């Protein structure tokens, strides 16, 4: 049977067909749906782990115990999981272990543009790169065989355009491979120096064998055409090359580490001019250059951003398509940045922080949108969990006084992911940081996944929810306050008190994400034009439903979710529920 | 048209472009075409600019539509229509929803909405269909079915039988919302 699948769905399907028993992940665009789909198959256990490191540890535990396991994460997740990853290459596996790393060239939804292939190489594990959903499924299955025959974790590297593009896939049945025998084997799995030294030798020998394998593997193939130009490429870029350079010969690499050196040399030999077209880093290109082969790549293409079909036309000096020219208007068009949703619980907090001109060490989640105009209420955003450490460092550098109008803001999921260790540092090293945990009862940014604080697992089973108040008290924070971020007066009062206190404090702002709130009255509000004084105070909330019209404001009732935050800030009592009295 | 038909669907997060593209993909598959779709999920869902690229036909390589090769631009919003116009090929077709959704910079007064958007579009293209999606959807019974009104208009251009579209809608849309969606689709088609 054939089906149109995203790359992510295809990977989940591939894992299922390959007989995988354990799937773990921490969400992150563009990888999130891999594990959401994996959870739909009853035969596979699937979990949201608290972070990527735990995900890989659970996955590798499953693999060592003899089951096939898949672990998925976005590119920056691999940074978090790097510690176990590097040593797993030494121990090897038992049941197959696949790490899916999803890169985001162009940063559609990421804080940087790192190339995961560097990680695969540094960890010394093979890397496969599919070029569409069919290959995403096929390579996933193949990876488990490869993993088991070479006794190594394997990386499947995808990019946003593979993960989120839908192409047709031929489905197959699940092959139950069962569990491999589990035997205690300390010299293989206990990496004390004496054993690790022996294992390192095996890692290097394995790389040679993998290199040998890549020379003849069907993963790498040449498509001969005119030999004036030869292009070496991988992933979705292969499709773009096919689309735009119809005459070129192509060496399509499905395995980009270790590279098939002989095959590449042979291909280079046959073509007049050799190009490597690859997104992000010159990964393939640098190897080829190091072998003394003349090649073009990043002299023609950028390491920044995506390579699209039109990029290839432009950089290779081919004529662009004859399009509608809108250049004279395009540059002047207003941008459309994402905004906090109507009714977003985070809006109340950022409104107050903006008002108090507080220095905000920020973090990553929906709430990062509080950094944009007109709220402008965030000073830093580096990586998940960084807010608390950043706030401590600011205080240590500039003194306690600076901490009197300074907070760290961090979402519930992010706090569990990697904020808790920062909070321990606050207490341990006597900082006076005020940490605000934005508890909106979900992992919002990535599409509303469950997490330990929400009371449900990935498979939807109810569990005992993590108690944030008790957790922060347990690490030694004595000042802990819970407030509704829409109670602006109380929030402001609490904020001032806690920032003033010269000791660690935690404020938990608790209100459900507007997109998952099923109980509140969603009747929209309207502005009485007679009562509106035009003070524009409500405009400071940055609610996309409040629109300035002449000297007054109006509410877009099609979008308003009736949260009532604007009512709180209106000094003229001009905002009322639609259909209510006094309109 | 060549072997491949390229349809670019653009709009604002929350307008339902994804469901529209899902139904479209189902229809062209039922008609036996190869299809590839490119979409970006993530930040864009929070009221940002969104797009879906649907390609169907034979021997499709790239999942994205090469710049300047879209045959049809289905725009759910006027500013977005203007923004993505350059993806259309020179004799391309545009179907544009006559709706204005102000982005944050406009709401704040930091930028101006191009109030002449429709005129600019008409000055550049011969084949312009303007659709009043909001009124049609409201008449059909739910303002949230603007996406189906627009899909209805698109269905006229593409020319597959109405039954196929309805069949796919039945397979894709929950029964509770099906009737109003079909009504909206038919309003757009007629
Ligand atoms: C290491 C890493 N993993 C995953 C992500 C993707 N990501 C960004 S924010 C976020 C979670 C945000 O959830 P939460 O902290 O609860 O805030 P909310 O979005 O709900 O406001 C995730 C998973 C990332 N940026 N970095
Ligand atoms: S998804 Fe929820 S948390 Fe995220 S911006 Fe929207 S309302 Fe706020
Ligand atoms: S207009 Fe007011 S009530 Fe409606 S969503 Fe915005 S802040 Fe909430």
């Amino acid at each position: 049977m054939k089906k149109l699948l995203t790359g992510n769905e295809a990977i989940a399907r591939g894992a299922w067909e390959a007989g995988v028993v354990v799937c773990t992940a921490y969400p992150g665009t563009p990888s999130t749906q891999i594990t959401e789909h994996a959870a739909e198959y009853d035969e596979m256990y699937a979990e949201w782990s608290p972070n990527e490191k735990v995900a890989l540890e659970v996955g590798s535990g499953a693999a060592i115990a003899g089951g096939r396991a898949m672990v998925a994460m976005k590119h920056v997740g691999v940074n978090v999981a790097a510690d176990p990853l590097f040593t797993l290459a030494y121990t090897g596996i038992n049941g197959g272990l696949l790490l899916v790393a999803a890169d985001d060239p162009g940063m559609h939804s990421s804080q940087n543009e790192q190339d995961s292939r560097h990680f695969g190489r540094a960890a010394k594990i093979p890397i496969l790169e599919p070029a569409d959903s069919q290959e995403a499924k096929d390579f996933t299955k193949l990876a488990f065989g490869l993993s088991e025959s070479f006794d190594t974790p394997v990386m499947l590297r995808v990019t946003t355009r593979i993960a989120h593009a839908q192409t047709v896939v031929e489905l197959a049945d699940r092959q139950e491979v069962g569990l491999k025998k589990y035997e205690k084997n300390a010299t293989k799995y206990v990496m004390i120096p004496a054993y690790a030294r022996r294992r390192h030798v095996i890692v290097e020998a394995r790389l040679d064998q993998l290199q040998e394998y890549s020379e003849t593997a069907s993963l790498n193939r040449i498509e001969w055409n005119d030999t004036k130009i030869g292009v070496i490429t991988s992933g979705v870029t292969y499709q773009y090359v096919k689309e735009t350079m119809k005459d070129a010969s192509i060496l399509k690499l499905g395995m980009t580490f270790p590279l098939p050196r002989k095959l590449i040399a042979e291909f280079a030999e046959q073509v007049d001019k050799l190009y490597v077209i690859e997104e992000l880093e010159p990964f393939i290109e640098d190897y080829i250059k190091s072998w003394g082969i003349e090649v073009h790549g990043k002299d023609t293409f950028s390491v920044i951003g995506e390579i699209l079909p039109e990029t290839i036309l432009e950089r290779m000096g081919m004529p662009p398509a004859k399009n509608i020219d809108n250049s004279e208007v395009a540059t002047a068009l207003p941008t459309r940045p994402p905004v906090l949703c109507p009714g977003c619980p985070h809006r109340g907090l950022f409104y107050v922080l903006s008002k108090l001109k507080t220095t905000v060490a920020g973090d990553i989640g929906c709430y990062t949108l509080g950094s944009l105009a007109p709220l402008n209420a965030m000073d830093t955003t580096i990586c998940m969990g960084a807010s608390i450490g950043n706030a401590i460092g600011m205080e240590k550098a500039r003194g306690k006084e600076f901490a009197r109008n300074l907070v760290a803001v961090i979402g519930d999921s992010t706090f569990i992911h990697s904020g808790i260790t920062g909070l321990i540092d606050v207490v341990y090293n006597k900082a006076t940081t005020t940490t605000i945990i934005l508890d909106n009862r979900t992992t919002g940014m990535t599409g509303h996944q469950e997490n330990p604080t929400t009371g449900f697992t990935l498979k939807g089973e109810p569990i005992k929810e993590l108690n944030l108040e008790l957790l922060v008290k347990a690490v030694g924070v004595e000042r802990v306050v819970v407030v509704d971020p829409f109670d602006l007066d109380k929030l402001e009062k609490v904020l001032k008190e806690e920032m003033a206190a010269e000791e660690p404090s935690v404020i938990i702002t608790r209100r459900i994400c507007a997109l998952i709130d099923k109980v509140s009255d969603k009747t929209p509000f309207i502005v009485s034009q007679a009562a509106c004084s035009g003070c524009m105070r409500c405009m400071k909330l940055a609610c996309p439903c409040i629109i300035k019209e002449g000297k007054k404001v109006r509410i877009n009732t099609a979008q308003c979710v009736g949260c009532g935050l604007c009512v709180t800030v209106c000094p003229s009592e001009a905002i009322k529920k639609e259909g209510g009295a006094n309109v | 048209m060549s072997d491949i038909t390229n349809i670019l669907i653009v709009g604002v997060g929350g307008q339902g472009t994804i469901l529209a593209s899902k139904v479209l993909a189902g229809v062209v598959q039922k008609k036996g075409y190869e299809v590839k779709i490119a979409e970006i999920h993530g930040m864009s869902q929070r009221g940002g600019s969104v797009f879906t690229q649907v390609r169907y036909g034979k021997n499709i390589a790239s999942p994205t539509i090469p710049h300047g090769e879209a045959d049809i631009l289905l725009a759910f919003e006027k500013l977005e229509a203007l923004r993505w116009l350059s993806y259309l090929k020179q004799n391309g077709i545009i179907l544009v929803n006559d709706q204005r959704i102000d982005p944050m910079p406009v709401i704040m007064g930091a930028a101006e909405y191009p109030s002449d958007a429709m005129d600019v579009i008409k000055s550049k293209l011969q084949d312009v269909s303007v659709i009043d999606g909001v009124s049609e959807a409201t008449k059909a019974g739910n303002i949230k079915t603007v996406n189906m009104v627009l899909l209805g208009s698109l269905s006229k251009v593409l020319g597959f039988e109405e039954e196929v579209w309805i069949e796919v809608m039945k397979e894709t849309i929950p029964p509770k919302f099906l009737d109003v969606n079909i009504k909206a689709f038919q309003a757009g088609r007629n």
Side-chain angles (χ1 to χ4, degrees):
Chain A
M1 196 177 92
K2 286 193 173 186
K3 219 176 155 190
L4 191 63
L5 298 182
T6 62
N8 284 346
E9 286 173 288
I11 292 168
R13 176 78 191 194
W16 179 78
E17 290 179 9
V20 166
V21 290
V22 170
C23 297
T24 64
Y26 181 72
T29 315
S31 70
T32 311
Q33 299 80 17
I34 296 171
T35 316
E36 286 177 336
H37 287 293
E40 291 165 6
Y41 297 97
D42 291 339
E43 295 88 343
M44 297 195 285
Y45 167 81
E47 72 165 40
W48 289 133
S49 310
N51 67 28
E52 292 86 354
K53 180 171 181 287
V54 177
L56 184 55
E57 288 155 353
V58 175
S60 55
I64 290 168
R68 287 189 165 182
M70 176 170 75
V71 185
M73 56 195 64
K74 71 182 285 164
H75 60 331
V76 285
V78 186
N79 304 343
V80 179
D83 201 7
L85 179 64
F86 278 55
T87 303
L88 282 168
Y90 279 43
T91 63
I93 47 84
N94 180 20
L97 177 63
L98 177 65
L99 168 68
V100 185
D103 289 4
D104 189 16
M107 292 178 275
H108 296 283
S109 193
S110 301
Q111 70 267 36
N112 75 19
E113 232 176 350
Q114 68 189 51
D115 189 328
S116 291
R117 296 178 300 178
H118 283 321
F119 255 120
R121 168 173 57 186
K124 300 175 187 265
I125 60 170
I127 306 172
L128 309 185
E129 291 192 60
D132 60 18
S133 298
Q134 180 69 55
E135 284 193 355
K137 193 190 76 148
D138 294 346
F139 287 15
T140 298
K141 289 169 81 172
L142 190 145
F144 286 100
L146 197 66
S147 173
E148 286 169 5
S149 41
F150 288 89
D151 188 17
T152 176
V154 174
M155 175 183 281
L156 184 78
R157 187 248 191 177
V158 295
T159 57
T160 302
R161 300 288 182 177
I162 295 295
H164 288 172
Q166 301 169 44
T167 68
V168 171
V169 179
E170 178 78 50
L171 304 182
D173 287 331
R174 177 173 168 94
Q175 299 259 264
E176 284 299 349
V177 292
L179 296 179
K180 293 210 163 168
K181 195 166 161 208
Y182 176 70
E183 272 171 319
K184 181 169 171 170
N185 187 349
T187 55
K188 186 166 186 289
Y189 297 117
V190 180
M191 284 300 94
I192 54 173
Y195 300 156
R197 279 183 206 113
R198 285 189 238 160
R199 292 300 304 179
H200 190 184
V201 178
I202 293 172
V203 172
E204 300 303 326
R206 180 208 292 149
L207 278 180
D208 289 342
Q209 291 155 13
L210 280 164
Q211 206 263 322
E212 219 31 62
Y213 167 85
S214 79
E215 295 289 0
T216 54
S218 58
L219 286 161
N220 303 319
R221 64 163 193 263
I222 296 176
E223 295 174 11
W224 286 118
N225 219 321
D226 194 301
T227 53
K228 276 202 206 68
I229 291 182
V231 180
I232 300 178
T233 184
S234 66
V236 74
T237 319
Y238 161 76
Q239 307 290 2
Y240 302 155
V241 171
K242 292 274 282 185
E243 183 84 31
T244 53
M245 302 176 69
K246 300 212 156 67
D247 298 331
S249 290
I250 301 174
L251 169 52
K252 179 192 180 300
L253 297 176
M255 183 165 179
T256 46
F257 185 76
L259 286 168
R261 181 173 177 169
K262 280 188 229 125
L263 185 69
I264 289 172
E266 207 180 285
F267 182 72
E269 189 76 15
Q270 307 275 329
V271 298
D272 300 346
K273 202 166 178 190
L274 181 66
Y275 283 88
V276 173
I277 306 186
E278 56 187 326
E279 281 180 318
L280 302 182
E281 298 296 305
F283 184 84
I284 303 169
E285 181 186 349
D286 281 352
Y287 274 102
I288 298 177
K289 280 190 172 148
S290 76
W291 301 328
I293 297 172
E294 200 186 318
V295 60
H296 299 276
K298 295 301 171 185
D299 56 353
T300 313
F301 292 89
S302 178
V303 295
I304 301 166
E306 286 191 279
I307 292 175
L308 290 166
E310 50 270 29
T311 326
I312 297 178
L313 292 180
E314 186 210 320
R315 299 299 168 105
M316 297 300 289
M318 291 182 275
K322 288 201 179 67
N323 65 332
I324 304 284
D325 182 13
N326 69 345
S327 49
E328 85 286 0
V329 286
T331 46
L333 292 180
T335 57
R336 195 181 292 277
V339 288
L340 294 171
C341 305
C344 177
H346 301 329
R347 180 169 285 112
L349 174 66
F350 288 105
Y351 173 77
V352 176
L353 289 172
S354 175
K355 185 173 160 194
L356 298 179
K357 301 200 167 43
T358 303
T359 302
V360 179
D363 225 297
I364 306 195
C366 283
Y367 50 94
T368 311
L369 295 171
S371 66
L372 302 180
L375 293 164
N376 298 317
M378 201 169 279
D379 292 57
T380 59
T381 294
I382 313 293
C383 68
M384 285 190 71
S387 57
I388 304 178
N390 283 169
I392 300 171
M394 286 174 170
E395 176 178 345
K396 295 297 177 190
R398 304 193 72 90
K400 274 197 165 68
E401 267 319 295
F402 191 74
R404 303 288 65 82
N405 195 18
L406 165 71
V407 294
V409 300
I410 184 163
D412 47 40
S413 185
T414 306
F415 180 70
I416 302 301
H417 176 280
S418 48
I420 181 72
T421 38
L423 189 66
I424 291 170
D425 194 42
V426 171
V427 178
Y428 178 52
N429 286 307
K430 296 201 257 178
T432 63
T433 315
T434 298
T435 301
I436 305 175
I437 304 176
L438 293 81
D439 182 7
N440 61 347
R441 320 301 299 146
T442 189
T443 314
M445 180 81 256
T446 39
H448 307 98
Q449 289 74 31
E450 305 295 347
N451 71 49
T453 70
T454 66
F456 290 92
T457 66
L458 166 57
K459 292 241 183 189
E461 302 136 334
I463 41 103
K464 187 173 164 140
E465 41 176 272
L466 183 149
N467 186 318
L468 284 170
E469 292 90 313
L470 289 181
L471 179 64
V472 302
K473 279 185 184 151
V475 309
V477 178
E478 278 164 18
R479 304 179 68 101
V480 182
V481 198
V482 181
V483 282
D484 175 356
F486 275 16
D487 186 346
L488 297 177
D489 290 340
K490 180 165 175 204
L491 181 61
E492 185 172 334
K493 185 170 155 277
V494 166
L495 255 169
K496 283 180 176 160
E497 277 168 15
E498 297 311 314
M499 288 195 298
E502 287 203 3
E503 55 181 302
S505 61
V506 168
I507 302 171
I508 300 171
T509 55
R510 185 166 288 146
R511 175 176 272 261
I512 192 168
C513 159
L515 294 194
I516 59 170
D517 177 8
K518 298 273 181 283
V519 293
S520 300
D521 174 12
K522 302 270 170 94
T523 315
F525 279 89
I526 51 174
V527 180
S528 151
Q529 296 301 311
C532 177
S533 70
C535 72
M536 298 296 151
R537 204 169 293 178
C538 57
M539 291 300 293
K540 296 213 171 90
L541 289 172
C543 173
C545 311
I546 307 179
I547 294 156
K548 196 172 151 218
E549 227 168 44
K551 292 201 157 50
K552 301 191 174 182
V553 301
R554 179 175 67 79
I555 288 176
N556 171 352
T557 51
Q559 275 188 50
C560 170
V561 296
C563 76
L565 189 63
C566 52
V567 180
T568 327
V569 300
C570 177
S572 313
E573 294 184 16
I575 307 174
K576 309 271 170 177
K577 273 269 171 189
E578 195 176 53
N582 310 323
V583 175
Chain B
M1 281 189 194
S2 75
D3 276 356
I4 302 173
T5 303
N6 295 316
I7 304 175
L8 177 61
I9 305 178
V10 304
V12 178
Q15 279 193 302
T17 50
I18 293 187
L19 182 64
S21 66
K22 226 181 184 165
V23 175
L24 169 61
V27 168
V28 294
Q29 270 184 296
K30 274 211 174 26
K31 297 306 288 180
Y33 292 102
E34 196 184 300
V35 54
K36 288 195 177 182
I37 301 177
E39 219 157 49
I40 298 290
H41 315 232
M43 275 281 198
S44 51
Q45 281 166 345
R46 309 277 171 274
S49 155
V50 294
F51 62 88
T52 304
Q53 314 187 9
V54 180
R55 314 190 75 196
Y56 69 88
K58 265 201 310 215
N59 301 324
I60 308 162
S62 167
T64 63
I65 300 171
H67 187 246
E69 289 186 24
D71 298 286
I72 302 173
L73 176 60
L74 178 64
F76 281 45
E77 201 271 347
K78 289 188 282 186
L79 167 58
E80 295 311 310
L82 210 49
R83 194 191 309 284
W84 293 90
L85 210 54
S86 67
Y87 275 75
L88 262 183
K89 63 179 193 192
Q90 257 172 15
N91 50 354
I93 298 171
I94 184 167
L95 303 160
V96 49
N97 182 24
D98 194 4
Q99 188 180 358
R100 164 176 172 164
I101 301 177
D102 287 352
M104 199 41 83
V106 172
I107 291 176
M108 282 158 40
E112 218 170 293
Y113 193 96
S115 48
D116 61 344
M118 243 11 150
D119 300 330
V120 177
I121 292 167
K122 284 181 182 157
S123 74
K124 290 179 181 294
L125 280 159
Q126 268 138 32
D127 209 333
V128 182
S129 303
V130 180
I131 300 139
D132 189 353
V134 175
S135 325
E136 293 295 341
T138 313
K139 266 192 265 167
N142 188 338
I143 190 167
K144 296 217 162 85
T145 59
V146 170
N147 55 352
M148 290 301 125
V149 175
L150 294 169
L151 194 67
S153 309
L154 177 70
S155 78
K156 268 189 307 190
V157 181
L158 297 182
F160 307 121
E161 307 82 358
E162 179 163 348
E163 301 80 73
V164 186
W165 291 91
I166 306 276
E167 202 181 314
V168 177
M169 287 174 76
K170 282 184 182 153
E171 291 162 11
T172 331
I173 299 167
K176 211 167 97 190
F177 304 108
L178 187 62
D179 283 344
V180 62
N181 275 285
I182 293 181
K183 233 170 131 186
F185 173 83
Q186 283 166 336
R189 200 175 158 85
N190 296 321

